[in-house]
Amino acid sequence: MKLNSQQLCDLAVGAAFLGTGGGGDPYVGRLMVQQCLDEGLEVNIIDPSELADDMLVIPTAMMGAPTVLVEKIPSGEEAMFSLQRLERHLRRKAQATMPIEIGGINSTIPLVVGARLGLPIVDGDGMGRAFPFLEMETFGVYGVSGSPMAVSDEYGDCAIIEAVDNRQMEWLSRAVAIRMGGCAYIAEYAMSGADVKRTAIPNTLSLAIRIGEVLRNAKTSHENPIEALLGFLPSTLYRYGRIIFGGKIIDVMRETKAGFSIGRVTIGGLPPFGSTMEIEIQNENLIARVDGQVKAIVPDLICIMNTETAEPITSENLRYGQRVTVLAVSVPEIMRTPEALDVFGPACFGLKEPFISIEEIG
Amino acid sequence: MKLNSQQLCDLAVGAAFLGTGGGGDPYVGRLMVQQCLDEGLEVNIIDPSELADDMLVIPTAMMGAPTVLVEKIPSGEEAMFSLQRLERHLRRKAQATMPIEIGGINSTIPLVVGARLGLPIVDGDGMGRAFPFLEMETFGVYGVSGSPMAVSDEYGDCAIIEAVDNRQMEWLSRAVAIRMGGCAYIAEYAMSGADVKRTAIPNTLSLAIRIGEVLRNAKTSHENPIEALLGFLPSTLYRYGRIIFGGKIIDVMRETKAGFSIGRVTIGGLPPFGSTMEIEIQNENLIARVDGQVKAIVPDLICIMNTETAEPITSENLRYGQRVTVLAVSVPEIMRTPEALDVFGPACFGLKEPFISIEEIG
């Protein structure tokens, strides 16, 4: 599939939705990809099934604070540079790139890399949403090493991290990214086509595009976009979604701690919803409770949407008084296995509640 | 020269002297080298002139807090591991290793690497003393790039840093070393034999051994060790030294700030020295003043020695009440050029005073 400008806009909306509050606003990323399209470059998205088993795929991304990225706009060549450094280290050329994270801005970075290097971009990712740490990847859950990993800045500095495990890779590369100014560009989880097919969450790029499209079409045909979206989900790997709350934001508590946006948003229920919902945030929305009762919990998606416009609201854009609808969406089964929950389940974020799927919560 | 145990003990004393208060106590390093000797391994120290111009030399060292190293004793293989990772990155085998810093514990790390890998150790280094930052190398002053550089820990984690300049290399690798537990092992400034001959301070390993030997011999023959040392210096590249103060420590102010040991020691003069001397410390002794008048300043050496035992006292071992003799020693000319002072002159440590050699101070 050759991406066009309309699909790019849809992707930005869908990626913001899948970010479940985190992942950063894809706005800057969208501009970077649009620039490529304006130059006549092709953004060629391929299905994982098109990969030969022995092809080398090198995913690309940014790491660090999206708030920094907005002040320090990338040229678009930084992640490309990381990929090339990693190629040199591996002594092998990449035959494709792909996202490590579909939620937020990282859905767009590999599109720029692919367009500029003439590489196809695999339709899939390793998070199926947004997560704050690099080890939180289905790639790693199912045995792919994140190392060696390249971290680059806009000046040409680069660090190749070879860590004993993916957690240690996150730990060491985070320090480098911080010293690179709080935002750096990475290439990691270099793997074979066979490993992509085995470990990636497939078709999340086209899913994000479709989500944006469904919301847009509903708006132009005066349907309820959120209902349209919920009607669309059963045809995807994210089989199931429902509205878990609706109301008005009555409190936002948010602070930046250790490089994360940590906080809690409180929503006063409007009919038919009573009482109040509290959502805990660590970059992403982690857990939603009504009167202490869990309504959805990570890794299932908790998406706060503007009730009027049906636009996904990222954590940093939550404001007192906003009327919001909260959706919970089930994630693909590959993200709910015991191995997966060991890496990005509730306990990995310090939550005491065990994972319980939104289907079970009922 | 094949190092023996006696020379190793002498080296530890001489390296502590050349550390000018910093560089860490070579005690742990001495034990690591002694272990190699006990295993029958050879520590083969060669003169820079023995290097062919096209040989590859990879210097090795530890970086971080020597206080951490004492609690987290290395196996001796960590720096070897860095050298091997850098070899792999460069796709070339090292034909020798060498110290980057002769002062303190880094005089011994390459001896362990050389012994374990069967590589000769070049008699020379890039600091001619101890300095707190990795860019403070005559190698870099005269055009050798510190990058690519390998930083490793004891678990097998490694980062290859490719920075745009040596300062940025220090900045990025320091963050990695901190996350590796505050102490890591490095291989950097990989260079040709020709570059070693052009940029290194030659024969500082044998100088350190000779300093230890001179002090030891003077003690056994009941001469004044400090006088013996001052008599020996004119036959070396460190042409000149003198006693600039003698007295009793009346105050030690020291704090750990941003990973450095920062402070000031005040010495009350004993006859024939009047008044008091103040020495400012940033790991190493940077500047010595009497009544505000500069008596010696970085990069010239300021060595605080125990007046009774003639043992060099490292910054962390300074105590109220110690009777000390302060020596100033001129550094080789290669360390006093304008290019060198740009990298490790007084201004690089935030001092306002310009460099003035101890010969000029008179």
Side-chain angles (χ1 to χ4, degrees), chain A residues 121-335:
Chain A
I121 301 102
V122 182
D123 186 3
D125 77 303
M127 289 185 177
R129 45 170 291 163
F131 280 129
F133 297 114
L134 298 182
E135 78 269 20
M136 295 180 163
E137 295 281 340
T138 52
F139 307 147
V141 167
Y142 299 107
V144 176
S145 169
S147 299
M149 166 197 186
V151 194
S152 303
D153 66 15
E154 65 275 28
Y155 301 108
D157 297 302
C158 182
I160 305 277
I161 310 287
E162 302 184 285
V164 290
D165 59 38
N166 296 337
R167 231 174 151 144
Q168 190 69 0
M169 175 188 80
E170 156 68 35
W171 174 245
L172 296 175
S173 62
R174 186 72 52 183
V176 172
I178 290 168
R179 291 224 159 169
M180 283 178 170
C183 166
Y185 296 84
I186 61 176
E188 52 163 6
Y189 289 99
M191 64 188 134
S192 67
D195 275 339
V196 172
K197 288 181 269 189
R198 186 173 63 79
T199 68
I201 303 147
N203 305 117
T204 46
L205 272 173
S206 47
L207 171 74
I209 295 170
R210 287 283 286 139
I211 289 173
E213 189 183 27
V214 165
L215 291 172
R216 176 169 54 82
N217 286 343
K219 278 184 228 179
T220 49
S221 57
H222 304 289
E223 294 166 51
N224 179 325
I226 291 175
E227 290 303 331
L229 179 60
L230 293 176
F232 161 68
L233 286 173
S235 67
T236 74
L237 273 183
Y238 292 69
R239 310 159 306 275
Y240 178 69
R242 69 165 176 271
I243 295 172
I244 54 170
F245 209 69
K248 218 168 81 175
I249 293 182
I250 56 174
D251 194 36
V252 180
M253 198 272 290
R254 196 171 41 211
E255 54 180 333
T256 302
K257 235 164 44 182
F260 293 104
S261 190
I262 308 270
R264 178 184 296 136
V265 57
T266 310
I267 306 165
L270 288 174
F273 301 96
S275 196
T276 58
M277 172 170 272
E278 283 194 341
I279 298 176
E280 284 189 37
I281 299 167
Q282 184 176 337
N283 287 10
E284 287 77 38
N285 305 319
L286 292 183
I287 184 167
R289 297 187 190 93
V290 173
D291 299 328
Q293 228 193 328
V294 176
K295 292 296 176 188
I297 188 166
V298 66
D300 278 350
L301 311 186
I302 300 166
C303 309
I304 305 175
M305 302 182 81
N306 183 308
T307 302
E308 278 100 83
T309 65
E311 271 162 15
I313 308 176
T314 55
S315 306
E316 64 274 22
N317 288 323
L318 295 169
R319 298 281 181 276
Y320 175 85
Q322 283 168 335
R323 281 174 185 245
V324 297
T325 300
V326 184
L327 266 63
V329 176
S330 64
V331 290
E333 279 311 318
I334 191 176
M335 295 175 65

Side-chain angles (χ1 to χ4, degrees), chain A residues 85 88 91 157 162 164, chain B residues 85 88 91 157 162 164:
Chain A
R85 289 288 184 115
R88 217 176 62 195
R91 296 162 210 197
D157 297 302
E162 302 184 285
V164 290
Chain B
R85 289 287 184 116
R88 219 175 61 195
R91 294 161 211 197
D157 297 303
E162 302 184 285
V164 291

